Amino acid sequence: MRIGVIGTGRIGTIHANTLSRHRDVGSLILTDADPARAQELAHRLGETAAPGVDEIFRWGVDAVVITTATAAHAEMIGRAARSGLPVFCEKPIALDLPGTLAAITEVETAGTVLQMGFQRRFDTGYAGAREAIRSGRLGRLHTVRAMTSDPAPPPTSHLRISGGLYRDTLIHDFDILRWVTGHEVLDVYAAGSDHGPTLFRAIGDLDTAAVVLTLEDGTLATATATRLNGAGYDVRMELAGELDQIAVGLDDRTPIASTEPTGPPAASKPWTGFLERFGPAYEAEIAAFIEVVRGERANPCDGREAMQALRIAEACDRSRREHRPVRLGEILGGPEPV
């Protein structure tokens, strides 16, 4: 199997390394907006670098992995669909719903595959939480608390094109909330703060946000995010039911300290970022994509799944602007949960 990798930045490099080691992948063709970066990675892996995207499609591949800047995702997805190629793409498809829906329509019209990169679905902790709910271990689920806390902001160049904290960061929490619980979001109420570094106010973004979400079965959820968690990278989910309560992401590297005399000590080696925390999950999602391409499993996260998470992010943006609860039925792209 020959795979084209479009984009060789941080995530592209991780995926190219995984693909290069995979027993079912014979070779890779790598390309990037910075040709020297693609060439360097190709040399290191013993793979082939292409001068541009055109060559990826002209030289012939069996599937495409897209890890470019977000602005190029929809165009590359459409081009791969028209070429009859299955695609793995990092989130999001696009920063707006019309662009997202247009790309999904191209894939569905062509009858090809689009697997989206929501890696938390492949994390063992979140998978365990999903199973706990389905097994009845928690009883009736009543409360979910999700959080994503980055230790420091990404470069300003990324923030300017990220789509904002709801679309860039909390979208992972929105996706995993749906996947773990098996329920859709009915409405949201969102708030946000830009009281940290001035760069957030300058570009119209938030450094911290909080959302209250009501699920269709009545479960209440909260999701919070910040770019300024100096203790380290902290991604967790707590799920409370009438019979039991569990936590995802609580281990000896969780960057939190207890003020109780008998509480656990602060982590000696806290998580530093998402690539470290979710390394095994990134490998697992790419392995799953190869199985999808080979027809050995169903698509674990298609474009419409990704669009649902984006609809929640859009609802949060509207809620914060208008200072009111927003029902998902107000947002383009799907029916309102009953």
Side-chain angles (χ1 to χ4, degrees), residues 150-218:
D150 292 319
T156 304
S157 58
H158 172 80
L159 288 174
R160 290 184 186 280
I161 62 173
S162 71
L165 195 57
Y166 298 119
R167 293 178 184 83
D168 186 48
T169 300
L170 276 165
I171 197 167
H172 282 287
D173 297 277
F174 301 152
D175 176 73
I176 206 64
L177 175 64
R178 295 179 59 249
W179 187 76
V180 167
T181 65
H183 291 294
E184 298 293 344
V185 172
L186 184 66
D187 61 39
V188 306
Y189 189 87
S193 170
D194 61 2
H195 290 185
T198 57
L199 72 92
F200 290 98
R201 292 187 291 283
I203 63 176
D205 198 0
L206 305 170
D207 59 65
T208 304
V211 186
V212 177
L213 310 97
T214 304
L215 305 191
E216 60 189 344
D217 68 337

Side-chain angles (χ1 to χ4, degrees), residues 138 140-145 219 238-246:
L138 304 186
R140 184 186 70 85
L141 183 68
H142 53 71
T143 307
V144 181
R145 294 175 286 270
T219 298
E238 299 172 358
L239 301 103
E242 293 182 349
L243 299 181
D244 202 357
Q245 180 171 232
I246 57 176

Side-chain angles (χ1 to χ4, degrees), residues 97-98 100-101 104 178 184-186 303-312 314-315 327-338:
L97 285 165
T100 298
L101 193 55
I104 291 171
R178 295 179 59 249
E184 298 293 344
V185 172
L186 184 66
R304 291 199 175 269
E305 288 284 291
M307 186 169 69
Q308 287 300 96
L310 181 59
R311 291 180 70 229
I312 299 169
E314 289 272 350
R327 294 180 70 87
L328 264 291
E330 299 178 40
I331 307 300
L332 172 72
E336 179 177 5
V338 177

